[in-house]
Amino acid sequence: MNAPAVSPRHRVFQVLENPNRADRLSWAVEIGLIVLILASVTAVALETVPELFARFHTEFRLFDLLITLAFTVEYIARVWAAPEDKPDKPAWLARLHYMRSPMAIIDLVAILPFYLALFMPLDLQLLRVLRLLRIYKLARYSPALTVLMSVIREEAATLLAAFSILTILLIFAAAGAYWVEHAAQPEAFGSVPAAMWWSMVTLTTVGYGDVTPITPMGRVFGGAITILGVGMAALPAGIIASGMADHLHRRRDRLREEFRCALEDGHIDLGEGRKIERLRRELGISREIAHGIHQDVRRKQFQRLQCTCPQCGHEFQHKGDDE
Amino acid sequence: MNAPAVSPRHRVFQVLENPNRADRLSWAVEIGLIVLILASVTAVALETVPELFARFHTEFRLFDLLITLAFTVEYIARVWAAPEDKPDKPAWLARLHYMRSPMAIIDLVAILPFYLALFMPLDLQLLRVLRLLRIYKLARYSPALTVLMSVIREEAATLLAAFSILTILLIFAAAGAYWVEHAAQPEAFGSVPAAMWWSMVTLTTVGYGDVTPITPMGRVFGGAITILGVGMAALPAGIIASGMADHLHRRRDRLREEFRCALEDGHIDLGEGRKIERLRRELGISREIAHGIHQDVRRKQFQRLQCTCPQCGHEFQHKGDDE
Amino acid sequence: MNAPAVSPRHRVFQVLENPNRADRLSWAVEIGLIVLILASVTAVALETVPELFARFHTEFRLFDLLITLAFTVEYIARVWAAPEDKPDKPAWLARLHYMRSPMAIIDLVAILPFYLALFMPLDLQLLRVLRLLRIYKLARYSPALTVLMSVIREEAATLLAAFSILTILLIFAAAGAYWVEHAAQPEAFGSVPAAMWWSMVTLTTVGYGDVTPITPMGRVFGGAITILGVGMAALPAGIIASGMADHLHRRRDRLREEFRCALEDGHIDLGEGRKIERLRRELGISREIAHGIHQDVRRKQFQRLQCTCPQCGHEFQHKGDDE
Amino acid sequence: MNAPAVSPRHRVFQVLENPNRADRLSWAVEIGLIVLILASVTAVALETVPELFARFHTEFRLFDLLITLAFTVEYIARVWAAPEDKPDKPAWLARLHYMRSPMAIIDLVAILPFYLALFMPLDLQLLRVLRLLRIYKLARYSPALTVLMSVIREEAATLLAAFSILTILLIFAAAGAYWVEHAAQPEAFGSVPAAMWWSMVTLTTVGYGDVTPITPMGRVFGGAITILGVGMAALPAGIIASGMADHLHRRRDRLREEFRCALEDGHIDLGEGRKIERLRRELGISREIAHGIHQDVRRKQFQRLQCTCPQCGHEFQHKGDDE
């Protein structure tokens, strides 16, 4: 062990919850868990192929047993080490708090079905699908995913509004198609809910082609709906684009603010440098861009600070310009 | 009633047109109306399924009667309370003004067909579709939808230009496909209007596949059109993305301006704080971002307030005398 | 005539090339020409329907004759009035210059086939398609279209690069699909050019479904290509979005610059106001946004200009902040 | 030769690796190579058509021999001239360094299969596909492509995150479709891997239609997945849009920085002008935009240079001594 002074519980916490590249063990555990998750999901998917299931029945069960054991150990270790994150709370409270976090619930869902199936008869299909959810355990390992998810969360209200416009258009398209086509195609357009299938497939530009308008009026109406579909697809793309750009600027501005504070006294000392570096990695900003921000802040700060009068030699603070 | 001092008409206005979360009754009415709208639209959609209509014929009629009554009461109440919004106008003028607003017209369209059908024989199909329009009553309840709609309205001219490029390409694609394919497929590509169906389905990347080019030349031309289709789909996405970003900046700038005004005298007093908070919610800007804007304005204001007289060297706080 | 002082040629020029809403005649001519263009294109499209052509053969010919005459008069009038645009050049040079502009060439192409067909036998199909090109005459009438076209032109190099990435992926996808599928489907994937049809339809997410991989390996490969297709469609959308936003900012900045110049002396006089208003309309910027820019420039200008020392009363120019 | 003073090796280097428009020979070689690449790829694609291969067997072989020879000469010339790029290194090291660059490896892959096939029996199919890779040799000739590729590289982490969201949704959609549809369609939805084909085709909005849900529950679920598909397609579009805009701003900022440095002393001298012009072309910024940046920097610099001493009131030009 390369950190003998820390307690075992702190070490487990470091390895599982606070991994960094320099720590070999923590890195190995991270890679190992990612491989286990992928292997587990692949096995569950392959299990649904009837031929494979018939032939490798025992192997699939054994593999699932091993993986469930590994994930159980992981879950217990995480719960046990949780108090390290909140040293000021009682241990049981910190653990309870951790157990209610989304990632911990996903971890529990990944193992619970196995144990439940020991005590009561569970549908095999349900078990399989629940085991597929293990893929969500991967969410822990990608910082860019976190950024993307937070953009989606921030834009949720606007995306929901786009979705409600889509819903209104879906109903409108289905009603229109039902109106013009239900005489010609009583099967596919016989009711508004039936026509909904066509309107969903068309407005999302998926276009299976299993159901299409065949009357001239239906094709004129259907053509207009395909064009609206292009417009509909543009809404979420526009919302995400604007949200991504805004999120990016705000992350940069936070780093810029940090540089500004640190440069108040004219230079960045060691502590400030470390703090900035940590923030930079947390925000997922590249080293080059951070350097550019540093230069920019420095230049502006410098201009604001230094000025010498060539006539009387008086030094004063010239507040020249600010972004 | 938790507001005994207000007149009944004002109370009705508050509950229906100016809902806020703290007012329990207004909140309950809002939720109730949303549920009614959704239930009504679902019922109309289900009614078009022949089996359901045959079996629950009476129930559908009764349900529609009840919902129409509820919406009628709502409409009358809104019209009656309308003068509260414009206290300086005569009541009848305020009501007329309200009745001509888009939301009031939608409310009227949602109930009128029922009453018209009492006096004259109306086509059942038409009645159903008109009742489906009730879904538009939902528009009142989503602020994000309002933002999205205003972005679409602002970008209308550019979206229309994109649509006209699409139209030109549609005609060009249909003419080309007619030219190369009408010998091989006289049915699907027998005339330019007929080929239009293929060109719409292709340029919007819907791609049903019910009509596809089969000659080698047709496939070369069709392939080029599919690629143009990707470009076409990019136009509205780009327009919306740029419009969303711009709208966002302008909303932020309005809040920034409010902070700037409030901070003219160096601090935000209670009244200014409330005004800013109301604007913040109206513009749909999160608390964190508003805080960032506040900090930014404060920092710049401070720099601006610091002023040095070049004649006597006195340092003083510059007060922007107007704006 | 409401402008008796101008020469007839200048009047024709005003009406045809420099229309404004206040001039009733110019407005009527603009609407009339748009209607003629749309009617002409609709007629050509309908002519390709065999039944209609058989029945209204004479009417179609007559209608085409009339429209061609109208467009001929329009073309001659435009060429005749062209010197008004370049008063410092000899008339014939100005006319030659005008005749070589893209819009003039489109106008010529719209009428020339009719006259050529009088002297030599021309294929009816070719004539029809050439007449369809009249739709391009519409380009003259939409300012938003001009903006969109200039964004596309500015981003042409990047869009071409996206297209070349698409080409490389198309060849790669076709070669891969040929490799894995040509044994199972010798018809659809029998050669790389044949597989190209599938790869175009898939990478553009059109997805007709007339040709799809059927082997397991083919579906794994095909699935990967569909995902690449989503990425490919993102490229032009991203390019246009970024280009639109940039173009918008530059147009705003030009108006801002104009305001800045005009406000140098503290106020906007009548001539400056008119110049700004003309630029505003030319750039397609709304009145509200122009007002916001005005306020913004004024505020900054004001801060920079006015400062009074409270100690000695000295007035001086404080250069506080600048955007 | 129009540059007799330079050594032959330097001339070869200039022509091949550092082409500029003024140098006629370098321009001709560039065009020639692009034509050769395109001709070569077209020939390989046509070779896979059985009829053409049977008929022009000898011609295809001869053409491939000629092109391979040309590319071999090009490769040897590039390796030979490589030391010109790094005059301070020993020639063999510079050559080794060049041979390990991505473009050199592509050049090698474009010719190697031909020589390998002389010594050992290679699969004809494999040879063809390897020859198709010659298309990548084009990458050298497009600066916009370089920009696009660097945007994609910068956004790689976020695009990967979007891809991982897509993967999770793919598995979820396949599992759900398997659950609701495998009884009705044991062929297409008989296992999760089989249902994956449908979920890929649907979530990417390709929508072949070869496999579609047919049960009512399957269509409700499928419809929801098509809507998620629109959202999924929005993610990469948003990421690329935001990345493009950011990259554009950073390129502009680099040019702005260059102008700022050059204008420190109040004017741009000849050397500075040339350096800025070179950077402008390298960054792919248009002349108009560069001019706008110049004006902007000049205006701000002027304000910044104007400085008033608070002690003696002397007005002077402030010279930023370093930066």
Side-chain angles (χ1 to χ4, degrees):
Chain A
M1 291 277 169
N2 57 351
V6 299
S7 73
R9 199 177 74 178
H10 190 75
R11 184 79 190 113
V12 167
F13 179 76
Q14 272 185 334
V15 165
L16 285 171
E17 299 283 352
N18 210 0
N20 80 6
R21 287 283 146 87
D23 182 352
R24 301 287 291 272
L25 180 62
S26 120
W27 185 79
V29 168
E30 183 174 326
I31 296 295
L33 283 171
I34 292 174
V35 169
L36 272 190
I37 296 167
L38 292 177
S40 155
V41 169
T42 311
V44 176
L46 291 177
E47 216 185 289
T48 60
V49 183
E51 303 89 73
L52 290 178
F53 186 64
R55 210 163 133 197
F56 300 106
H57 186 246
T58 337
E59 284 86 345
F60 276 127
R61 291 212 56 175
L62 193 71
F63 186 70
D64 185 45
L65 179 73
L66 286 174
I67 281 190
T68 308
L69 278 179
F71 287 166
T72 307
V73 170
E74 182 207 350
Y75 182 70
I76 292 171
R78 280 188 200 274
V79 171
W80 176 61
E84 295 291 326
D85 198 31
K86 297 194 169 50
D88 47 329
K89 280 192 183 175
W92 68 270
L93 206 72
R95 283 189 186 120
L96 199 75
H97 195 89
Y98 172 75
M99 286 168 74
R100 283 162 56 191
S101 72
M103 282 317 302
I105 289 169
I106 289 172
D107 284 348
L108 189 62
V109 167
I111 51 170
L112 210 60
F114 181 86
Y115 296 105
L116 287 179
L118 295 182
F119 301 106
M120 55 178 115
L122 273 184
D123 182 30
L124 184 64
Q125 312 276 28
L126 181 68
L127 272 178
R128 276 172 183 161
V129 171
L130 283 174
R131 263 183 283 143
L132 274 176
L133 294 178
R134 284 174 186 164
I135 192 89
Y136 289 103
K137 282 172 73 92
L138 281 180
R140 209 191 299 267
Y141 303 108
S142 164
L145 192 62
T146 317
V147 168
L148 210 56
M149 290 312 250
S150 71
V151 169
I152 294 174
R153 213 174 312 118
E154 279 166 16
E155 300 296 322
T158 320
L159 287 171
L160 209 75
F163 175 73
S164 74
I165 293 181
L166 177 62
T167 309
I168 291 178
L169 282 180
L170 278 176
I171 291 177
F172 172 74
Y178 163 72
W179 181 293
V180 293
E181 282 283 321
H182 86 283
Q185 302 190 71
E187 184 73 34
F189 293 95
S191 66
V192 172
M196 206 82 150
W197 174 245
W198 169 81
S199 73
M200 275 195 288
V201 166
T202 302
L203 269 173
T204 57
T205 77
V206 168
Y208 286 132
D210 53 345
V211 180
T212 54
I214 50 171
T215 63
M217 268 301 290
R219 291 197 160 182
V220 169
F221 180 79
I225 296 298
T226 61
I227 290 166
L228 279 178
V230 176
M232 268 321 301
L235 284 184
I239 293 166
I240 296 283
S242 151
M244 285 294 296
D246 185 51
H247 197 266
L248 188 79
H249 283 302
R250 274 184 294 128
R251 273 183 294 157
R252 298 253 174 93
D253 281 354
R254 248 191 83 193
L255 194 65
R256 183 184 301 274
E257 201 53 47
E258 202 67 36
F259 271 118
R260 212 177 259 141
C261 284
L263 279 168
E264 272 300 297
D265 55 356
H267 68 98
I268 297 179
D269 63 38
L270 207 74
E272 289 168 342
R274 263 196 224 132
K275 203 174 147 203
I276 288 173
E277 177 61 17
R278 198 162 50 232
L279 185 68
R280 185 191 69 74
R281 260 182 298 154
E282 217 176 283
L283 297 172
I285 295 169
S286 79
R287 229 173 269 276
E288 289 86 352
I289 288 167
H291 183 74
I293 294 173
H294 182 182
Q295 291 302 315
D296 203 51
V297 171
R298 167 151 262 154
R299 192 168 44 74
K300 281 183 186 151
Q301 214 89 350
F302 181 78
Q303 283 171 14
R304 206 153 51 87
L305 289 176
Q306 294 254 32
C307 211
T308 315
C309 175
Q311 201 176 55
C312 64
H314 179 59
E315 298 214 353
F316 63 101
Q317 300 218 330
H318 171 58
K319 291 160 202 86
D321 69 354
D322 191 59
E323 80 239 49
Chain B
M1 290 277 169
N2 56 352
V6 300
S7 73
R9 200 176 74 178
H10 189 75
R11 183 79 190 114
V12 166
F13 179 76
Q14 271 187 335
V15 165
L16 284 171
E17 298 283 352
N18 210 359
N20 78 8
R21 286 284 144 87
D23 182 351
R24 300 287 292 272
L25 180 63
S26 118
W27 184 79
V29 167
E30 182 174 327
I31 296 293
L33 283 171
I34 292 174
V35 169
L36 272 189
I37 296 165
L38 293 176
S40 157
V41 170
T42 311
V44 176
L46 290 178
E47 217 184 289
T48 60
V49 183
E51 303 89 72
L52 290 178
F53 186 64
R55 208 162 133 198
F56 300 107
H57 185 247
T58 339
E59 285 86 345
F60 276 127
R61 292 213 55 176
L62 193 70
F63 186 71
D64 184 46
L65 179 72
L66 285 174
I67 282 189
T68 308
L69 278 179
F71 287 166
T72 308
V73 170
E74 182 207 350
Y75 181 70
I76 292 172
R78 281 187 198 274
V79 171
W80 176 61
E84 295 292 326
D85 199 30
K86 297 196 169 49
D88 48 329
K89 279 192 182 175
W92 69 270
L93 206 72
R95 284 193 183 116
L96 200 74
H97 195 89
Y98 172 76
M99 286 168 76
R100 283 162 56 192
S101 72
M103 281 317 302
I105 289 169
I106 289 172
D107 285 348
L108 189 62
V109 168
I111 51 171
L112 210 59
F114 180 87
Y115 295 105
L116 288 180
L118 295 181
F119 301 105
M120 55 178 114
L122 274 183
D123 180 31
L124 184 64
Q125 313 275 29
L126 181 66
L127 272 178
R128 275 173 185 161
V129 171
L130 284 173
R131 264 184 283 142
L132 273 176
L133 294 177
R134 285 174 186 164
I135 192 88
Y136 288 103
K137 281 172 72 92
L138 281 180
R140 209 191 299 267
Y141 303 108
S142 165
L145 192 63
T146 317
V147 168
L148 210 55
M149 291 311 252
S150 71
V151 169
I152 294 173
R153 212 174 312 118
E154 280 166 15
E155 300 295 323
T158 320
L159 286 172
L160 210 75
F163 175 74
S164 75
I165 293 182
L166 177 62
T167 308
I168 291 177
L169 282 180
L170 278 176
I171 291 177
F172 171 74
Y178 163 73
W179 180 293
V180 293
E181 283 283 322
H182 86 283
Q185 302 190 71
E187 184 73 35
F189 294 95
S191 67
V192 171
M196 207 80 150
W197 173 244
W198 170 82
S199 73
M200 275 196 287
V201 166
T202 302
L203 268 173
T204 58
T205 77
V206 167
Y208 287 132
D210 53 345
V211 179
T212 55
I214 51 170
T215 63
M217 267 303 288
R219 291 197 160 183
V220 168
F221 181 78
I225 296 298
T226 61
I227 290 165
L228 279 178
V230 177
M232 269 319 303
L235 284 184
I239 292 165
I240 296 284
S242 152
M244 286 293 297
D246 185 50
H247 198 265
L248 188 79
H249 283 302
R250 275 185 293 129
R251 273 183 293 157
R252 298 252 174 93
D253 282 353
R254 248 192 84 194
L255 194 66
R256 184 184 302 275
E257 201 52 48
E258 203 66 36
F259 270 118
R260 214 176 257 144
C261 285
L263 279 168
E264 271 300 298
D265 54 357
H267 67 99
I268 298 178
D269 63 37
L270 206 73
E272 289 168 342
R274 263 195 223 130
K275 203 174 148 203
I276 288 173
E277 177 60 17
R278 198 163 49 234
L279 186 67
R280 184 191 68 75
R281 259 182 297 155
E282 218 175 283
L283 297 171
I285 294 170
S286 79
R287 230 173 269 274
E288 289 86 351
I289 288 166
H291 182 75
I293 293 173
H294 181 181
Q295 291 301 316
D296 203 51
V297 171
R298 169 152 259 153
R299 193 166 44 74
K300 282 190 185 143
Q301 213 86 352
F302 180 78
Q303 283 171 14
R304 193 165 62 88
L305 289 173
Q306 291 292 84
C307 209
T308 315
C309 173
Q311 201 175 55
C312 64
H314 178 59
E315 297 216 352
F316 63 99
Q317 300 231 325
H318 168 59
K319 298 216 175 3
D321 359 47
D322 88 35
E323 182 171 0
Chain C
M1 290 278 168
N2 56 352
V6 299
S7 73
R9 199 177 74 176
H10 190 76
R11 183 78 191 116
V12 166
F13 179 76
Q14 270 186 335
V15 165
L16 283 171
E17 298 284 352
N18 211 359
N20 78 8
R21 286 284 145 88
D23 182 351
R24 298 289 292 271
L25 179 64
S26 121
W27 185 79
V29 168
E30 181 174 328
I31 296 294
L33 282 171
I34 292 175
V35 169
L36 272 189
I37 296 166
L38 292 177
S40 156
V41 170
T42 311
V44 177
L46 290 177
E47 216 184 289
T48 60
V49 182
E51 302 90 71
L52 291 178
F53 186 65
R55 208 161 134 198
F56 300 108
H57 186 247
T58 339
E59 285 86 344
F60 276 127
R61 291 213 58 175
L62 193 71
F63 186 71
D64 185 46
L65 179 73
L66 285 174
I67 282 190
T68 308
L69 279 179
F71 287 165
T72 307
V73 170
E74 182 207 349
Y75 181 71
I76 292 171
R78 280 188 199 274
V79 170
W80 175 60
E84 294 292 325
D85 198 31
K86 299 197 168 46
D88 47 329
K89 281 191 181 175
W92 68 271
L93 206 71
R95 283 190 185 118
L96 199 75
H97 194 89
Y98 171 76
M99 285 168 77
R100 282 162 56 192
S101 72
M103 281 317 302
I105 291 170
I106 289 172
D107 284 348
L108 190 61
V109 168
I111 50 170
L112 210 58
F114 179 89
Y115 297 105
L116 288 180
L118 295 180
F119 300 106
M120 56 176 113
L122 271 184
D123 181 30
L124 183 64
Q125 312 276 30
L126 181 66
L127 271 178
R128 276 173 185 163
V129 171
L130 283 173
R131 264 185 282 142
L132 273 176
L133 294 178
R134 285 174 185 165
I135 192 88
Y136 289 103
K137 282 172 72 93
L138 282 180
R140 209 191 299 265
Y141 303 109
S142 164
L145 193 63
T146 317
V147 167
L148 210 55
M149 290 313 249
S150 72
V151 169
I152 294 173
R153 213 174 313 117
E154 279 167 16
E155 300 296 322
T158 321
L159 286 171
L160 209 75
F163 176 74
S164 75
I165 293 182
L166 177 62
T167 308
I168 291 177
L169 281 181
L170 278 176
I171 292 176
F172 171 75
Y178 163 72
W179 180 292
V180 292
E181 283 282 322
H182 86 282
Q185 301 191 71
E187 184 73 33
F189 294 95
S191 67
V192 170
M196 207 80 149
W197 174 244
W198 169 82
S199 73
M200 276 196 287
V201 166
T202 301
L203 269 173
T204 58
T205 77
V206 168
Y208 287 133
D210 54 346
V211 180
T212 55
I214 50 169
T215 64
M217 267 304 288
R219 291 196 160 183
V220 168
F221 181 78
I225 296 299
T226 62
I227 291 166
L228 279 178
V230 177
M232 269 319 303
L235 284 183
I239 292 165
I240 295 284
S242 150
M244 286 293 297
D246 185 50
H247 198 265
L248 188 79
H249 284 302
R250 274 185 294 130
R251 273 183 293 157
R252 297 253 174 93
D253 281 355
R254 247 192 84 193
L255 194 65
R256 183 185 303 275
E257 201 54 47
E258 202 66 37
F259 271 118
R260 211 177 259 142
C261 285
L263 279 167
E264 272 298 298
D265 55 356
H267 67 98
I268 298 178
D269 63 39
L270 207 73
E272 289 168 342
R274 262 195 223 131
K275 200 174 149 205
I276 288 174
E277 177 61 17
R278 197 162 50 233
L279 186 67
R280 185 192 68 74
R281 258 183 298 156
E282 217 176 283
L283 298 172
I285 294 171
S286 78
R287 230 173 268 276
E288 290 87 351
I289 288 166
H291 181 75
I293 294 173
H294 182 182
Q295 290 302 315
D296 204 51
V297 171
R298 167 150 260 154
R299 191 167 46 72
K300 281 183 186 151
Q301 215 89 350
F302 180 79
Q303 282 170 14
R304 208 151 52 84
L305 290 176
Q306 294 254 29
C307 212
T308 316
C309 174
Q311 201 176 57
C312 63
H314 178 58
E315 297 213 356
F316 63 101
Q317 299 218 334
H318 171 58
K319 291 159 203 88
D321 67 356
D322 192 58
E323 81 237 45
Chain D
M1 289 275 170
N2 57 351
V6 299
S7 73
R9 199 177 74 177
H10 189 76
R11 183 79 190 115
V12 166
F13 179 76
Q14 270 187 336
V15 165
L16 283 172
E17 298 283 352
N18 210 359
N20 80 7
R21 286 283 145 87
D23 182 351
R24 299 289 291 271
L25 180 63
S26 121
W27 184 80
V29 167
E30 183 175 325
I31 296 293
L33 282 171
I34 291 174
V35 168
L36 272 190
I37 296 166
L38 292 176
S40 156
V41 170
T42 310
V44 177
L46 290 177
E47 216 185 288
T48 60
V49 183
E51 303 88 73
L52 291 178
F53 187 64
R55 206 160 137 201
F56 300 108
H57 186 246
T58 338
E59 285 86 346
F60 277 126
R61 291 213 58 174
L62 193 70
F63 187 70
D64 185 46
L65 179 72
L66 285 174
I67 282 191
T68 307
L69 278 179
F71 287 165
T72 307
V73 170
E74 182 207 350
Y75 181 71
I76 291 171
R78 280 187 201 274
V79 170
W80 175 61
E84 294 292 326
D85 198 29
K86 298 195 168 49
D88 48 329
K89 279 192 182 175
W92 68 270
L93 206 71
R95 282 189 186 120
L96 199 74
H97 194 88
Y98 172 75
M99 286 168 76
R100 282 162 56 191
S101 73
M103 282 318 301
I105 291 170
I106 288 173
D107 284 348
L108 189 62
V109 168
I111 50 171
L112 209 59
F114 180 87
Y115 296 105
L116 286 181
L118 296 181
F119 301 105
M120 54 178 115
L122 272 183
D123 181 30
L124 183 65
Q125 311 276 29
L126 181 67
L127 272 178
R128 277 173 184 161
V129 172
L130 284 173
R131 264 184 282 142
L132 273 176
L133 294 178
R134 284 174 186 165
I135 191 88
Y136 290 102
K137 282 172 72 92
L138 281 179
R140 208 190 299 266
Y141 303 107
S142 164
L145 192 63
T146 317
V147 168
L148 210 55
M149 289 313 249
S150 71
V151 169
I152 294 173
R153 213 173 313 118
E154 279 167 17
E155 300 296 322
T158 320
L159 286 171
L160 209 75
F163 175 73
S164 75
I165 293 182
L166 177 62
T167 309
I168 290 178
L169 281 180
L170 278 176
I171 292 177
F172 171 74
Y178 164 71
W179 181 292
V180 293
E181 282 282 322
H182 86 283
Q185 300 190 74
E187 185 72 35
F189 293 95
S191 66
V192 171
M196 206 82 150
W197 174 244
W198 169 81
S199 72
M200 274 195 288
V201 166
T202 302
L203 269 173
T204 57
T205 78
V206 167
Y208 287 132
D210 54 345
V211 179
T212 54
I214 51 170
T215 65
M217 267 303 289
R219 291 196 161 184
V220 169
F221 181 78
I225 296 299
T226 61
I227 291 166
L228 279 178
V230 176
M232 268 320 302
L235 284 183
I239 293 165
I240 296 284
S242 151
M244 287 293 296
D246 184 52
H247 197 265
L248 188 78
H249 283 302
R250 274 184 293 129
R251 272 182 294 157
R252 297 252 174 92
D253 282 354
R254 247 192 85 192
L255 193 66
R256 183 184 302 274
E257 200 55 46
E258 202 68 35
F259 271 118
R260 213 176 259 143
C261 285
L263 278 168
E264 270 301 296
D265 55 355
H267 68 99
I268 298 178
D269 64 37
L270 206 74
E272 289 168 342
R274 262 196 223 132
K275 202 175 148 204
I276 288 173
E277 178 60 18
R278 197 161 52 230
L279 186 68
R280 184 191 70 72
R281 258 181 299 154
E282 217 177 284
L283 297 172
I285 294 170
S286 79
R287 230 172 268 276
E288 291 86 350
I289 288 167
H291 182 74
I293 294 172
H294 182 182
Q295 291 301 316
D296 203 51
V297 171
R298 170 150 259 155
R299 192 167 45 74
K300 282 190 186 143
Q301 213 87 351
F302 180 76
Q303 282 170 18
R304 194 163 63 87
L305 289 173
Q306 290 292 84
C307 208
T308 315
C309 173
Q311 201 175 58
C312 64
H314 178 58
E315 297 215 355
F316 63 99
Q317 299 232 326
H318 168 60
K319 297 209 175 13
D321 357 44
D322 88 34
E323 173 179 6

